[in-house]
Amino acid sequence: MGSVMVKLPQVFKILGAQSAEGLSFQAVLLELLALTGTIAYSIAHHFPFSAWGEALFLTLQTVTIGFLIQYFGGCTGRGVTFLAVYSSALALLLSPLPPSALITLLQAFNLPAIIVSRLIQATTNYRNGHTGQLSAVTILLLFAGSLARIFTSVQETGDLLVALTYMVSSICNGVIAAQLIYYWHVPAQGKKQR
């Protein structure tokens, strides 16, 4: 149930600040790739909705964040194009057209996509010397949720690739959570001294 709203604090923080400073669009794209792979793989393998439904809700929220990054970056047209391209790609992947090997490859690509997306965000945080508009609530919920999903994915699917994905995700989310704590009192503007 938490995944239905886990990224809403991030969306609200961006909207409230009218800024997506410190958020990496490239990291969002890689996260969407991983989430999309999870959805397509789970549907193709007839996993119960409880095993992959959170990825659907996370996808909707992550797409919203991606659009907001573009919008508040002054690139509304690019944001609209992003929405159209992603929606089309998702529809294609969920159709009967893609071969099952492609869907399995997408799921296997989750590991590098998660690692690289979190490394991009961690590098952005380090270079900025702050976490910008990252939401503490969202980051901590993602960390806790990925830890919990290690166990539930094993029980619900028995698929070790899915469980391994959540293990790696937990480690990567833990790095971002640690940065959030480290940079907690650092304002988003002008502090490169750390």
Side-chain angles (χ1 to χ4, degrees), residues 25-124:
F25 185 67
Q26 292 81 7
V28 167
L29 290 177
L30 285 169
E31 187 173 351
L32 277 175
L33 180 63
L35 289 166
T36 303
T38 296
I39 293 169
Y41 183 81
S42 297
I43 290 173
H45 285 83
H46 308 289
F47 292 159
F49 184 75
S50 61
W52 61 270
E54 74 177 33
L56 175 64
F57 294 108
L58 287 170
T59 296
L60 294 172
Q61 294 164 66
T62 304
V63 165
T64 301
I65 291 166
F67 173 77
L68 290 173
I69 290 171
Q70 295 300 319
Y71 177 78
F72 287 118
C75 302
T76 304
R78 192 180 317 169
V80 171
T81 301
F82 157 70
L83 291 175
V85 169
Y86 179 75
S87 298
S88 299
L90 181 61
L92 178 64
L93 286 170
L94 296 180
S95 77
L97 297 175
S100 63
L102 174 64
I103 301 302
T104 300
L105 183 63
L106 273 174
Q107 178 65 23
F109 189 71
N110 277 359
L111 289 173
I114 289 166
I115 292 168
V116 172
S117 79
R118 294 304 188 261
L119 284 176
I120 288 171
Q121 186 61 59
T123 301
T124 299

Side-chain angles (χ1 to χ4, degrees), residues 138-189:
T138 293
I139 296 303
L140 295 174
L141 286 173
L142 285 171
F143 179 55
S146 60
L147 285 172
R149 290 301 287 154
I150 294 168
F151 304 104
T152 59
S153 64
V154 169
Q155 290 176 340
E156 292 178 348
T157 70
D159 192 307
L160 293 181
L161 181 57
V162 174
L164 182 61
T165 300
Y166 285 113
M167 287 180 214
V168 171
S169 181
S170 295
I171 293 166
C172 294
N173 286 330
V175 169
I176 303 296
Q179 283 186 313
L180 195 70
I181 293 165
Y182 180 77
Y183 292 121
W184 187 260
H185 293 292
V186 178
Q189 298 292 331

